[in-house]
Amino acid sequence: MQADVLYQQRQIIDTRRIALRPDDRYGEPARGLSWLPLDFDETRGEGLYLVRFAAGASSLPHEHVFGEAFIVLEGVLIDSDGQELRAGDFVRYAPGSRHFSTSPEGCLLGVFLRGRNRRLVDGELWRSMFNAYQPCRLSMAAAAARR
């Protein structure tokens, strides 16, 4: 009896046999990115999914409004600050973090998104990175002036 109930309540997705679909979560499909929602609420933009980067593909610059976590399952991912993330690495982004990622040789990620990301536009990522480094640049200039 218990086995029958569990069978009815369990869903198994063979991710090796299901085709991933173009990643169009920001509107137009992102070139070289595909995804497979596993336990994902597309209306709220939260849950678990797989994302595959084809060789040379990059994600669009975006902000994690509610945070995100992922594990690299295959390959190497390089974050916008140059950090290399390899198979087995688990990464967590705090709410408000901004970045993009690229994969020169391709990779597969298991992603848990806590809410819809916001796509960054017109150099917004670079302006935020520049502003974050301004205090450091100013204190370096002040130290050099004192010499």
Side-chain angles (χ1 to χ4, degrees), residues 72 74-78 84-87 102-108:
V72 180
E74 300 172 0
V76 176
L77 184 72
I78 300 174
E84 279 194 10
L85 307 165
R86 300 186 168 280
T102 189
S103 184
E105 297 174 17
C107 68
L108 178 67

Side-chain angles (χ1 to χ4, degrees), residues 33 53 56-62 64 68 70 76-81 83 85 91 93 98-104 107 109 125:
L33 294 182
F53 283 65
S58 294
S59 65
L60 297 169
H62 57 279
H64 298 288
E68 177 182 274
F70 67 82
V76 176
L77 184 72
I78 300 174
D79 218 344
S80 52
D81 66 353
Q83 177 69 50
L85 307 165
V91 181
Y93 291 101
R98 297 174 170 194
H99 75 120
F100 70 92
S101 302
T102 189
S103 184
C107 68
L109 309 176
L125 174 65

